[in-house]
């Protein structure tokens, strides 16, 4: 209660504080950035960042990557991680290149992070820079539609670089 005398005035100021924003972002570079054979390992480093304006946690942050862990989410950092705005938690996972990746010419995978918020998906492409081992038992060519060049390579037993013209 404010008691006012005659002629006195009171000014009231109201502040409308915005609601806190819970947000996370994900980046995931790959190393190496190229591969040349089945069995090569690609390591992804996942960096989950609190991109909001309020502290998140303590909680378990997870990464869901279509090429890792059968596409099932896996934990990133300790179960009781707390992230202030701008802070990060980092984890890694490894993907082993398979023969089909050689024919495809690249490994593309997409991941997103979860916690009290969900990140936008992040994608990374790792490219093939080797020579396809046509005629070698390591590469299952049957049923893989890679065009006439592959058919010629298989028939002749020759090796061809992706994108090269088979003669």
């Amino acid at each position: 209660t404010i008691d006012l005398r005659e002629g006195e005035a009171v000014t009231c100021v109201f502040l409308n504080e915005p609601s806190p924003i819970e947000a996370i972002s994900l980046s995931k570079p790959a190393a190496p950035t190229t591969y040349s054979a089945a069995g090569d390992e690609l390591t992804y480093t996942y960096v989950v960042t609190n991109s909001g304006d309020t502290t998140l946690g303590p909680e378990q942050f997870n990464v869901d990557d279509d090429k890792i862990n059968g596409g099932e989410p896996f934990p990133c950092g300790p179960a009781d991680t707390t992230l202030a705005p701008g802070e990060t938690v980092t984890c890694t996972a490894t993907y082993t290149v398979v023969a089909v990746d050689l024919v495809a010419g690249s490994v593309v995978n997409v991941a997103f992070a979860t916690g009290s918020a969900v990140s936008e998906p992040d994608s990374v492409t790792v490219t093939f820079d080797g020579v396809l081992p046509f005629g070698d038992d390591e590469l299952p060519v049957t049923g893989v539609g890679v065009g006439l060049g592959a058919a010629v390579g298989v028939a002749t037993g020759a090796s061809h670089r992706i994108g090269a013209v088979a003669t």
Side-chain angles (χ1 to χ4, degrees):
T1 302
I2 299 174
D3 293 325
L4 299 176
R5 295 185 200 166
E6 191 173 315
E8 290 182 324
V10 172
T11 302
C12 296
V13 176
F14 294 93
L15 297 176
N16 187 8
E17 296 284 331
S19 297
I21 298 172
E22 292 184 344
I24 57 176
S25 61
L26 174 70
S27 65
K28 65 170 190 121
T33 58
T34 62
Y35 61 94
S36 59
D40 286 358
E41 291 187 342
L42 309 177
T43 300
Y44 298 97
T45 301
Y46 304 89
V47 181
V48 179
T49 302
N50 178 350
S51 54
D53 62 7
T54 188
T55 298
L56 303 175
E59 64 182 291
Q60 177 66 67
F61 292 91
N62 294 291
V63 171
D64 191 330
D65 188 315
D66 65 342
K67 296 284 188 196
I68 305 296
N69 198 34
E72 293 296 318
F74 57 91
C76 190
D80 60 350
T81 299
T82 299
L83 297 178
E87 288 187 332
T88 63
V89 62
T90 303
C91 56
T92 60
T94 301
Y95 173 76
T96 302
V97 173
V98 295
V100 143
D101 298 325
L102 306 181
V103 175
S106 63
V107 173
V108 179
N109 70 336
V110 179
F112 61 92
T114 61
S116 51
V118 178
S119 75
E120 292 292 322
D122 188 32
S123 171
V124 66
T125 300
V126 179
T127 55
F128 175 66
D129 71 351
V131 174
L132 289 174
F134 288 116
D136 192 330
D137 292 336
E138 294 176 4
L139 184 64
V141 177
T142 306
V144 177
V146 293
L148 179 60
V152 170
V154 171
T156 64
S159 293
H160 296 284
R161 191 169 286 283
I162 293 272
V165 176
T167 56

